[in-house]
Amino acid sequence: MYHFTESVTVHILELHGALVPVRQDGLPIFDDSRSFNLEISSANITMTTDSLANVLNQYVFVASEAPLKDLTVTTEGNKLKVKGKLHSKGDISFETVGTLSATPEGQIRIHAQKVKAAHLPVKGLMDLLGLNIADLINTKKVRGVRSEENDLILDPQQILPPPHIEGRVTAIRIEGNQIVQVFGNKPKAELPLAFGGNYMAYRGAQLRFGKLTMSDTDMILIDMDPKDPFDFYLDHYRDQLVAGHTKITPEFGLRVFMRDFNKLRKEQRQIKKAAPRPPS
């Protein structure tokens, strides 16, 4: 589980890629999520419908003049249902049900098959009048989203908070309340690591975290509890690091055993609750 923010998370099943510095003369810095982009060569990543709604409300359509507001996202079988308000049309409530697919450019297409406005079906009337979604929703000033006839096109490289991703979605599907995104092609076989479980491995080039800068980086972040997903939050990596422990390999590589972020938060609450009150 990877946290972009408190309310925006994705589940990374598998990912191969590189941390690319934003500045030509820079390097990836864990303490600055804007210092690098994540260039994905291949990956399988899932996102819940709640996380997608949070991305749209808190990051994409956050501006006061944004055309859509108060969005909720759910699934109906293999269809995606989006509800909200047409802010640019006087906050009229709307609802769409449609399919998901990957575009040739590697973006995400939401094709509306049913449309309701003010709880009334309007898709047939729109077709009769020669209108489509693009006529109702002006996305020219919205980052990472564009309307195209009866489709909304989402660009994963722009809609997510930093660190931004660079990669092409090659397939997408719905499983329960999860949106499964496949990036790139199947990676070439790599040498297996000397352990199993959940981990994030960083190799080569430079990487900075805290006061340390690694050259020819050899660092693996390892889940201390592999029985459940590795819950990692870059903005709080130091808290997770302090709650764990590290080992140095004979080749001066780092093996960092980290506690899950969600478990760390529970422990902190317990400690605060158990702390005695100061004398009055």
Side-chain angles (χ1 to χ4, degrees):
M1 192 69 66
Y2 181 89
H3 288 259
F4 284 96
T5 67
E6 289 278 354
S7 57
V8 177
T9 61
V10 295
H11 187 188
I12 301 174
L13 303 175
E14 183 179 16
L15 186 149
H16 298 261
L19 305 185
V20 180
V22 171
R23 291 174 47 189
Q24 189 172 2
D25 59 345
L27 72 160
I29 303 172
F30 264 27
D31 301 87
D32 181 6
S33 61
R34 298 180 182 274
S35 67
F36 64 92
N37 292 335
L38 175 56
E39 184 181 85
I40 299 176
S41 56
S42 66
N44 283 281
I45 299 174
T46 71
M47 171 182 275
T48 66
T49 51
D50 285 344
S51 274
L52 177 57
N54 290 335
V55 168
L56 297 176
N57 286 316
Q58 300 170 13
Y59 196 71
V60 177
F61 295 108
V62 69
S64 59
E65 68 275 12
L68 303 179
K69 292 291 183 181
D70 300 334
L71 297 170
T72 62
V73 182
T74 56
T75 59
E76 285 188 354
N78 63 348
K79 305 290 179 64
L80 196 73
K81 177 186 284 188
V82 180
K83 293 182 179 181
K85 294 179 180 178
L86 290 168
H87 186 58
S88 57
K89 305 296 181 182
D91 285 333
I92 296 175
S93 62
F94 79 94
E95 174 184 318
T96 68
V97 177
T99 58
L100 290 175
S101 62
T103 71
E105 299 79 20
Q107 299 174 345
I108 299 171
R109 182 185 301 275
I110 304 176
H111 175 65
Q113 296 177 321
K114 299 178 182 178
V115 181
K116 290 183 179 180
H119 307 290
L120 298 174
V122 296
K123 183 66 167 64
L125 179 60
M126 290 171 61
D127 292 341
L128 182 64
L129 297 176
L131 300 175
N132 51 45
I133 295 293
D135 296 313
L136 296 179
I137 304 173
N138 184 353
T139 58
K140 290 182 179 179
K141 296 182 179 180
V142 180
R143 176 187 175 92
V145 179
R146 74 178 190 275
S147 52
E148 187 177 279
E149 296 184 352
N150 282 318
D151 301 342
L152 281 181
I153 311 296
L154 307 182
D155 185 353
Q157 298 187 138
Q158 298 188 58
I159 65 173
L160 291 169
H164 295 301
I165 63 173
E166 299 176 4
R168 296 178 65 254
V169 176
T170 53
I172 189 168
R173 65 184 185 275
I174 291 173
E175 293 183 359
N177 72 330
Q178 302 277 344
I179 300 169
V180 183
Q181 303 164 71
V182 179
F183 286 79
N185 301 310
K186 188 175 181 179
K188 297 179 181 179
E190 294 190 357
L191 292 175
L193 296 174
F195 58 90
N198 310 317
Y199 65 89
M200 292 187 289
Y202 301 86
R203 292 170 172 161
Q206 287 187 307
L207 178 64
R208 179 180 298 165
F209 47 96
K211 297 180 180 180
L212 299 179
T213 300
M214 293 192 76
S215 298
D216 190 20
T217 299
D218 176 11
M219 180 176 72
I220 304 177
L221 309 183
I222 303 167
D223 186 3
M224 291 177 63
D225 185 3
K227 295 190 298 295
D228 54 16
F230 185 10
D231 194 321
F232 181 77
Y233 193 171
L234 183 61
D235 287 352
H236 292 272
Y237 86 90
R238 284 174 291 180
D239 299 324
Q240 294 181 253
L241 182 63
V242 170
H245 61 276
T246 61
K247 291 184 178 180
I248 299 178
T249 70
E251 295 78 22
F252 294 100
L254 273 180
R255 303 297 179 259
V256 184
F257 294 83
M258 282 189 159
R259 191 172 299 279
D260 289 321
F261 173 68
N262 56 352
K263 296 172 186 174
L264 181 68
R265 289 173 61 85
K266 290 179 182 178
E267 290 177 358
Q268 288 175 331
R269 286 197 295 267
Q270 290 172 356
I271 292 172
K272 290 180 180 179
K273 186 176 181 180
R277 293 183 179 181
S280 56

